[in-house]
Amino acid sequence: MRDIENHVYRTAYYILGNEQDALDASQEALIRIYTKINSYEEKAQFKTWIQRIVTNICIDKFRRTKPVVSIEEHDMVFREKQDVEEEVLSAYAAKDIREAIDKLPDHHRAVVVLRYLQDFSYNEIADSLDLPLNTVKSYLFRARQQLQTLLHDYQKGGVRG
């Protein structure tokens, strides 16, 4: 059960980008999973059935509220014998990637999160989101293009400051 909770929370966090919203969505998803477990049909994998529930809850929640950008500072922990400059640049890159993903339309963000952050196959994404396989591929293609545009500074070797 702990694996399911972690999976649900991680998905919610990546889609919503906010810890409190992710906790709320996770709790709602887990309750729905528990109450609907009898309706689970073994047509789809259990993992994709759960993913569909949490993703739909997150998309609904995201549509109901305006996205809020967290200004909260994250502690950077530097390990001995590591290049501090590389750590700082990596932290900036991760923050910019997160912000770029947040700027994607809901349907593109969902497929990016499932593919690259949850490591779902195209078929699992299609099952989870109840989309045709070609639509998933199209969404991923367009999302990668949008991310490429949004992250243009990094492709050119630039650093934001």
Side-chain angles (χ1 to χ4, degrees):
M1 185 65 175
R2 182 63 70 189
D3 287 343
I4 293 172
E5 290 174 14
N6 289 336
H7 178 74
V8 167
Y9 172 78
R10 193 170 49 243
T11 299
Y13 183 80
Y14 284 131
I15 292 174
L16 297 170
N18 171 307
E19 184 178 354
Q20 190 58 50
D21 289 343
L23 288 169
D24 291 346
S26 296
Q27 183 176 15
E28 186 177 339
L30 290 169
I31 290 169
R32 190 168 303 165
I33 290 165
Y34 179 75
T35 59
K36 302 286 185 180
I37 194 75
N38 291 335
S39 69
Y40 168 66
E41 298 173 5
E42 294 188 27
K43 294 177 191 173
Q45 291 182 11
F46 188 66
K47 179 173 119 176
T48 57
W49 181 74
I50 289 172
Q51 194 63 46
R52 180 180 296 170
I53 291 171
V54 69
T55 303
N56 287 340
I57 287 171
C58 290
I59 289 172
D60 289 345
K61 187 171 188 56
F62 194 80
R63 286 181 181 149
R64 284 192 307 261
T65 60
K66 297 268 185 200
V68 176
V69 177
S70 174
I71 304 176
E72 148 187 348
E73 287 293 321
H74 295 283
D75 294 332
M76 291 177 131
V77 178
F78 299 107
R79 294 179 215 114
E80 280 186 49
K81 299 182 183 178
Q82 273 197 313
D83 185 358
V84 173
E85 182 178 358
E86 188 176 310
E87 281 285 329
V88 171
L89 291 177
S90 177
Y92 275 122
K95 184 175 185 288
D96 284 350
I97 290 168
R98 175 74 231 161
E99 289 173 359
I101 290 171
D102 287 345
K103 291 177 184 176
L104 294 174
D106 295 346
H107 53 284
H108 288 173
R109 183 179 324 106
V111 296
V112 165
V113 166
L114 295 178
R115 179 70 184 132
Y116 298 111
L117 302 175
Q118 296 289 1
D119 203 28
F120 271 45
S121 70
Y122 289 172
N123 288 327
E124 289 173 326
I125 295 168
D127 288 344
S128 294
L129 299 178
D130 199 23
L131 294 171
L133 183 60
N134 285 335
T135 301
V136 169
K137 290 177 181 179
S138 174
Y139 284 178
L140 278 169
F141 178 78
R142 289 186 187 126
R144 283 191 297 262
Q145 286 181 318
Q146 290 171 317
L147 287 171
Q148 200 169 18
T149 300
L150 292 167
L151 297 169
H152 186 262
D153 289 344
Y154 283 100
Q155 291 171 358
K156 295 290 186 189
V159 177
R160 69 180 185 92

